[in-house]
Amino acid sequence: MSTIFKQKDDCIISSSFSSEDLTLLLNQATGSPVSVEEKEQLVASGGHYSDVFVKEGLLSESLKKAYDYALNENKGARRLAYHIQFLAKEIVAHSSPNKPLVLISLVRAGVPLGVLLTRYIRRNFPEVSVKHYGISIIRDRGIDQKALETIHKKNLDSIHYFIDGWTGKGSISYELRHALRNISLPFDFKLVVDSDPAKTATHCATYEDWLIPFGLVGAQISGLFSRTLWADNSYHMAAYFSDLEKDDISSNFIETVEKYTEEVIVASDYPADCSLKNSATAELFSDVSASEVIKEAMDTFNLSSIHKVKPGIAEATRAIHRRTPRLIILRTAQDPETNYIKSSAEEKGVPIQYGLSGGMGPFRAITILK
């Protein structure tokens, strides 16, 4: 059972993370959740996805097995620990020892990474004062400006970094960069992610599209709150899923990764990671960029919106659960890291295609939406 923490200030949203790990600048959502089908109808009729939230259910047995594989058998916890070591050192090295450090996780995918980084920095760099916030950013609508104003007022003369889980198309990177240009607050574009196939972040641990364990799960690994909803002139909103408390793995995930963060993990264990000369797969540094792959997918399937393309293992997986897929594209049928996507597609009757004529570039999986 999760411990429920009421956040400070005027935020009334709950989280299964403690306030030491995360200050969540979100208000409690009003209204009721909708089904995936109702959300799709709203989007198809010109509505915005951030006007509603979908009720998330208990983790299926197949998803639990996929998560366990990603975390343990595939050694994802150990690999993430190595990434945390690297990214934390990068952040501290590029910061000032005389200024407080503020990590701003973009809800939700940035939250697990932000919690891990915050804890690691506190343990290993005690001379650095670090705070961790979670705020909302919504594609095509922008960032929560009130949340940024709150952070600025409470943390004058600090060094800040925005945290997200990964990049796919780079949409959130673009949204963040655009938003920061158009607000009168001293925030620079400094984005830290675990995996950056789109090459749009400031710091990353790898460019590889890999099976990130927290990329498989939604609310139950991010503090038990929903995707965020837009709000004018106040904090953005989210719903807390109290009925999923017994299914929550947020703290267990953090503790599992932390078991490895004090290990001396040598770079040769992960030659593709933590290097700008990353070459994890044969195609990773081919002439086919992420943007070229996405353009080919749009042209091939006659898509009018780039948002119909969900590239990367994490995005492709999440799209299967919370959207209506038209097609799954996998690099190969023999990739154990995309087995869950393959089996989910087969279970839902979604067609699977292997590869694109121009190559998959950095991506191992792409979901095409209806």
Side-chain angles (χ1 to χ4, degrees):
M1 181 71 70
S2 303
T3 303
I4 308 309
F5 296 91
K6 292 294 183 181
Q7 299 294 322
K8 300 175 182 178
D9 305 316
D10 61 348
C11 304
I12 57 173
I13 183 69
S14 297
S15 166
S16 62
F17 288 117
S18 77
S19 56
E20 287 297 308
D21 286 332
L22 173 68
T23 298
L24 196 59
L25 298 181
L26 291 170
N27 280 328
Q28 178 66 45
T30 56
S32 302
V34 301
S35 66
V36 171
E37 293 74 22
E38 289 170 325
K39 177 181 176 179
E40 292 289 2
Q41 289 173 7
L42 172 74
V43 173
S45 63
H48 198 275
Y49 73 89
S50 66
D51 290 331
V52 296
F53 67 95
V54 173
K55 180 70 185 75
E56 297 180 39
L58 296 173
L59 301 178
S60 67
E61 287 304 313
S62 60
L63 182 51
K64 287 179 181 178
K65 289 179 182 177
Y67 170 73
D68 183 68
Y69 169 81
L71 193 68
N72 298 306
E73 187 178 344
N74 202 45
K75 299 182 179 179
R78 189 173 188 270
R79 186 175 181 182
L80 264 177
Y82 178 48
H83 292 179
I84 293 300
Q85 292 174 347
F86 173 79
L87 290 172
K89 291 170 186 174
E90 281 279 291
I91 289 170
V92 172
H94 287 84
S95 302
S96 169
N98 302 317
K99 292 185 178 183
L101 181 61
V102 176
L103 304 184
I104 307 170
S105 285
L106 303 177
V107 172
R108 290 183 304 184
V111 168
L113 189 67
V115 170
L116 285 165
L117 286 168
T118 301
R119 287 188 171 196
Y120 186 85
I121 291 170
R122 284 175 178 161
R123 283 197 313 273
N124 293 276
F125 301 94
E127 72 281 7
V128 177
S129 171
V130 58
K131 293 182 181 179
H132 179 216
Y133 293 90
I135 72 170
S136 167
I137 186 169
I138 295 173
R139 192 196 71 225
D140 298 333
R141 282 188 161 178
I143 201 163
D144 187 334
Q145 187 163 336
K146 182 179 178 182
L148 285 181
E149 290 170 353
T150 297
I151 293 170
H152 175 59
K153 288 176 184 176
K154 292 180 177 292
N155 302 278
L156 296 174
D157 199 32
S158 62
I159 304 294
H160 68 271
Y161 287 88
F162 293 93
I163 312 294
D164 206 357
W166 54 83
T167 65
K169 298 186 294 288
S171 297
I172 292 300
S173 302
Y174 169 82
E175 195 67 55
L176 178 62
R177 195 183 291 275
H178 177 75
L180 296 179
R181 285 198 198 108
N182 290 280
I183 60 173
S184 55
L185 293 169
F187 289 94
D188 300 321
F189 179 85
K190 289 182 288 187
L191 178 62
V192 177
V193 299
D194 179 75
S195 170
D196 187 22
K199 298 185 182 177
T200 57
T202 315
H203 300 280
C204 70
T206 184
Y207 291 123
E208 185 183 2
D209 177 20
W210 74 287
L211 185 61
I212 305 170
F214 66 87
L216 287 171
V217 185
Q220 287 100 321
I221 208 166
S222 303
L224 285 184
F225 49 90
S226 70
R227 296 187 75 191
T228 56
L229 304 175
W230 179 262
D232 290 313
N233 305 316
S234 67
Y235 294 132
H236 292 183
M237 300 178 292
Y240 178 77
F241 296 130
S242 59
D243 59 320
L244 298 181
E245 288 170 14
K246 64 181 180 181
D247 210 33
D248 186 32
I249 57 174
S250 303
S251 295
N252 180 264
F253 165 72
I254 298 298
E255 291 164 4
T256 301
V257 175
E258 283 192 323
K259 291 177 183 177
Y260 296 97
T261 54
E262 302 311 314
E263 279 190 23
V264 177
I265 303 176
V266 296
S268 59
D269 288 352
Y270 302 100
D273 296 351
C274 306
S275 168
L276 295 181
K277 296 181 180 179
N278 181 329
S279 57
T281 66
E283 292 188 66
L284 199 56
F285 277 82
S286 69
D287 293 333
V288 184
S289 68
S291 59
E292 289 172 320
V293 173
I294 292 160
K295 183 179 185 304
E296 181 186 347
M298 291 185 68
D299 292 343
T300 300
F301 302 107
N302 194 29
L303 304 175
S304 59
S305 170
I306 193 173
H307 303 314
K308 296 286 187 181
V309 184
K310 300 294 181 182
I313 293 174
E315 287 300 306
T317 302
R318 291 179 171 218
I320 289 174
H321 292 302
R322 62 191 189 200
R323 301 300 300 271
T324 305
R326 167 183 167 185
L327 175 71
I328 305 297
I329 308 171
L330 301 178
R331 177 181 288 170
T332 173
Q334 287 78 41
D335 185 349
E337 296 203 14
T338 59
N339 276 347
Y340 176 71
I341 296 176
K342 183 180 177 183
S343 62
S344 296
E346 291 170 347
E347 182 181 324
K348 293 175 180 287
V350 180
I352 300 173
Q353 172 178 311
Y354 294 101
L356 288 167
S357 60
M360 292 282 282
F363 301 118
R364 295 159 81 168
I366 300 171
T367 293
I368 304 296
L369 300 179
K370 289 185 178 179

